[in-house]
Amino acid sequence: KIMKAKNHIRTTMIFLFILSLIFAKKSSAQIQSMAGPRIGVTIIAPGETADILNQNDGKSAFTTQYGWQWENRFTSGTEFVGLVEWIVVMGGMESGKLMPSISSIVGFRNANGLEIGMGPNLSLGGIGMVFGFGMNYTSGNLNLPINLVIIPPKEDSGFAVSVMLGFNMSK
């Protein structure tokens, strides 16, 4: 029953994500697209993904992340903006491993730069959810996001916690 409930939740979240994209395209909101690099560090709890990095020793693992983020901001007010982000990162390179991950996050950012979001994540550990919290600092047209990312356990993989940072430019 637990596995069936997890599959139902995953399907519902993906459906809501697709629905949000459809309604966003039909809305009268202004859409601003940006993209930029992301770097970070991740701690992975014991499980299959950590075993790939640690050669099956059953311990947690540490890895660096390198990738790219595409962001669409949906604005019509001044207090909050809606966000849809796609983030592709590679980890494990310092260990000679290639561990790709792709996430799609739907969330919001307030006028002070506080941001929060969630969405599906696909990695070697399987399909699951990702939750992000952070701050977006601005200097002119330059955006400097710093995020704490939490990926709950996926099947045989332990949870992961990342700190990610990067930059992009507003047009």
Side-chain angles (χ1 to χ4, degrees), residues 39 51-52 60 94 115 118 132:
I39 59 170
D51 285 347
I52 292 170
S60 60
E94 72 283 344
E115 54 189 30
M118 63 181 277

Side-chain angles (χ1 to χ4, degrees), residues 67-79:
W68 198 262
Q69 176 190 24
W70 294 268
E71 176 181 307
N72 289 313
R73 291 181 187 178
F74 300 89
T75 62
S76 63
T78 56
E79 281 300 309

Side-chain angles (χ1 to χ4, degrees), residues 19-20 22 27 32-33 53-54 67 85 88 125 127 139 148 164:
L19 222 87
S20 71
I22 292 168
S27 76
Q32 181 181 24
S33 297
L53 290 170
N54 291 334
E85 301 175 355
V88 176
I127 297 173
S139 178
L148 174 66
M164 303 291 292

Side-chain angles (χ1 to χ4, degrees), residues 40-44 53 61-65 149 151 159-164:
V41 294
T42 300
I43 296 176
I44 305 167
L53 290 170
F62 169 85
T63 188
T64 57
Q65 300 282 347
V149 180
I151 301 175
F159 72 92
V161 177
S162 301
V163 175
M164 303 291 292

